[in-house]
């Protein structure tokens, strides 16, 4: 079976937000579609390991922010590559409560508020069915998953349903054969797997991962 045909499926990008008691949590997803038009029901695919999924089982009210092409890409990096178990993803952006659900501040194409009512077990992921309870209009062109790959040069982590090993090969600053002598050291981000090649044995103290936004303490040296 040629599974590359799956690459022809189209998606958007969204940020799910849900309150964990007093604390907002959430994550990026690329899988959302409208199931019915009357009394609209939507479906999202959530990895069972995501903290967001765990919280959603306790608190069914969530927001879905529709990412636009002009949405700050840091939102995707922070909400898509870190876990709410350990990170406060909203710290850099702030949030607004919409009908009790946290919506990360910033430019988005629109916001939906939904109530999850069924979790369909699909193995690694649950397909969560949710009823629409409110909408907030936004601005900008909705970002497609294809645009994210082409323009933002983004990748998908293991928890994304569309994750493919070959598509998430480490990104190198320059092809080794282009400049064999110049970059002597390689460092890998332990959050998102981004690989950077560098002349010096240490990265600068203010180095920030261009993919997921974490600081230099998350980089470790790998073989040159
Ligand atoms: C582009 C992109 C698409 C993603 N799509 C999904 C998705 O559809 N479903 C999912 O469960 N996780 C998806 N993820 C992964 C989660 O956002 C990621 O595992 C996140 O760290 C989970 O955070 P949490 O543990 O705080 O819930 C995606 C991530 C990125 C960057």
């Amino acid at each position: 079976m040629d599974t590359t045909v799956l690459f022809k499926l189209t998606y958007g990008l969204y940020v799910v937000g849900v309150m964990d008691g007093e604390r907002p949590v959430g994550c990026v997803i690329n899988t959302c579609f409208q199931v019915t038009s009357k009394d609209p029901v939507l479906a999202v695919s959530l990895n069972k390991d995501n903290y967001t999924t765990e919280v959603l089982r306790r608190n069914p009210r969530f927001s879905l922010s529709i990412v636009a092409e002009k949405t700050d890409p840091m939102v995707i990096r922070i909400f898509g590559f870190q876990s709410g178990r350990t990170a406060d993803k909203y710290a850099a952006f702030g949030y607004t409560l919409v009908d009790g659900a946290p919506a990360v501040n910033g430019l988005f194409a629109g916001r939906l508020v939904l109530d999850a009512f069924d979790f369909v077990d699909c193995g690694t992921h649950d397909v969560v069915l949710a009823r629409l309870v409110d909408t907030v209009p936004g601005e900008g062109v909705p970002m497609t998953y294809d645009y994210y790959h082409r323009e933002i040069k983004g990748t998908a982590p293991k928890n994304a349903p569309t994750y493919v090993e070959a598509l998430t090969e480490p990104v190198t600053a320059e092809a080794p054969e282009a400049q064999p002598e110049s970059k002597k050291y390689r460092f890998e981000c332990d959050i998102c797997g981004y690989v950077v090649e560098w002349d010096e044995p240490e990265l600068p103290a203010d180095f920030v991962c261009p993919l997921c936004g974490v600081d230099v303490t998350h980089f470790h040296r790998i073989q040159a």
Side-chain angles (χ1 to χ4, degrees):
M1 182 166 63
D2 180 2
T3 51
T4 63
V5 180
L6 290 170
F7 301 165
K8 305 289 157 95
L9 293 172
T10 57
Y11 303 91
L13 274 185
Y14 316 93
V15 180
V16 169
V18 57
M19 287 308 285
D20 178 20
E22 298 296 306
R23 197 168 75 92
V25 298
C27 70
V28 164
I29 60 167
N30 63 279
T31 45
C32 172
F33 71 97
Q34 188 175 344
V35 180
T36 66
S37 62
K38 193 161 182 258
D39 198 9
V41 168
L42 280 80
V44 296
S45 174
L46 288 178
N47 193 292
K48 289 175 184 173
D49 291 340
N50 288 0
Y51 189 59
T52 307
T53 315
E54 187 182 319
V55 173
L56 207 56
R57 285 187 169 276
R58 297 194 293 267
N59 175 15
R61 172 66 53 98
F62 68 100
S63 70
L64 190 120
S65 299
I66 303 165
V67 174
E69 289 179 358
K70 292 211 160 71
T71 298
D72 182 351
M74 282 306 286
V75 171
I76 303 172
R77 289 164 190 163
I78 289 176
F79 279 77
F81 290 96
Q82 301 182 28
S83 178
R85 281 189 188 88
T86 50
D88 176 5
K89 302 191 193 183
Y90 292 81
F93 313 103
Y95 67 95
T96 305
L97 276 180
V98 187
D99 303 311
V104 58
N105 289 340
L107 185 150
F108 286 87
R111 320 271 192 166
L112 308 178
V113 180
L114 300 124
D115 278 339
F117 64 88
D118 202 2
F119 290 71
V120 181
D121 186 344
C122 296
T124 55
H125 290 67
D126 282 336
V127 169
V128 180
L129 297 175
R131 187 149 276 118
L132 186 67
V133 292
D134 204 359
T135 64
V136 181
E139 53 183 307
V141 178
M143 186 188 290
T144 63
Y145 202 38
D146 181 54
Y147 182 97
Y148 169 69
H149 286 302
R150 275 188 298 107
E151 303 295 327
I152 312 276
K153 311 279 184 233
T155 61
K158 287 199 164 141
N159 283 5
T162 45
Y163 170 74
V164 180
E165 200 113 17
L167 284 184
T168 54
E169 291 272 296
V171 185
T172 51
E174 285 169 65
E177 55 276 23
Q179 289 202 352
E181 299 298 325
S182 60
K183 308 278 190 232
K184 293 195 218 85
Y185 304 96
R186 301 177 89 214
F187 301 85
E188 184 176 23
C189 175
D190 58 23
I191 299 292
C192 69
Y194 181 86
V195 173
V196 60
E197 298 183 348
W198 208 256
D199 281 329
E200 311 298 326
E202 301 289 338
L203 287 171
D206 60 353
F207 188 84
V208 170
C209 179
L211 190 56
C212 71
V214 296
D215 66 25
V216 71
T217 60
H218 289 278
F219 279 82
H220 59 276
R221 253 221 354 240
I222 53 176
Q223 124 276 340

